[in-house]
């Protein structure tokens, strides 16, 4: 089952980033997220699997709505948006620089060696929950709140862009 889910996730992810139509990309992203939820269910993390399905299904519904509202009809039908060679080269270089940066950070902080040592140790779910929702050092409730405010600003910006295009 893991191999089937892995093939679905990898294939859908590749199709998501290579397709030129935005609605198809969102649909492939939906398959990726459902595949990840399937892996959570396979690992008996039912809460994480259910959260993955509910949160991201709602998020992708919003993405569908914004794609329909903010993108022109020609782009949705795939008649307009074409990639230029220079953009592909710049994107590939940016991806390589990003991968190199992540690799250097992992090697500098000895994360790979540390993760190999911790792989045999099982972490209880209450400890994971406290780490994700705590407000102490190395806990993630504050970054989570910043991201939610940032996403709200993005939604408001998207609505403003849509309103300005409608007036022209």
């Amino acid at each position: 089952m893991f191999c089937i889910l892995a093939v679905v996730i990898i294939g859908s992810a590749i199709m998501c980033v290579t397709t030129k139509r935005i609605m198809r990309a969102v649909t492939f992203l939906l398959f990726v997220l459902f595949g990840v939820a399937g892996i959570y269910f396979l690992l008996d993390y039912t809460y994480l699997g259910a959260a993955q399905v509910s949160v991201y299904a709602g998020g992708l519904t919003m993405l569908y709505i914004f794609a329909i509202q903010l993108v022109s009809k020609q782009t949705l039908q795939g008649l307009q948006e074409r990639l230029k060679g220079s953009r592909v080269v710049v994107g590939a270089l940016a991806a390589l620089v990003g991968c190199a940066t992540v690799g250097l950070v992992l090697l500098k902080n000895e994360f790979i060696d540390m993760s190999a040592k911790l792989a045999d140790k099982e972490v209880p779910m209450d400890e994971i929950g406290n780490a994700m929702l705590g407000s102490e050092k190395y806990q993630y409730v504050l970054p989570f709140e910043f991201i939610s405010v940032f996403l709200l600003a993005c939604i408001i910006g998207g609505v403003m862009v849509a309103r300005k295009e409608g007036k022209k």
Side-chain angles (χ1 to χ4, degrees), residues 27 33 38-39 44-45 71 78 84 97 105 111 117 130 136 146 149 151 160:
T27 304
L33 295 174
I39 289 180
D44 286 334
Y45 290 144
V71 178
K84 296 181 180 175
V97 168
V105 167
F111 181 76
K117 292 175 188 174
N130 287 333
E136 302 292 322
F146 281 137
V149 171
L151 290 175
M160 296 304 291

Side-chain angles (χ1 to χ4, degrees), residues 37-54 125:
I39 289 180
Y40 285 144
F41 286 124
L42 192 64
L43 293 171
D44 286 334
Y45 290 144
T46 54
Y47 177 75
L48 286 177
Q52 175 90 5
V53 169
S54 63
M125 284 302 287

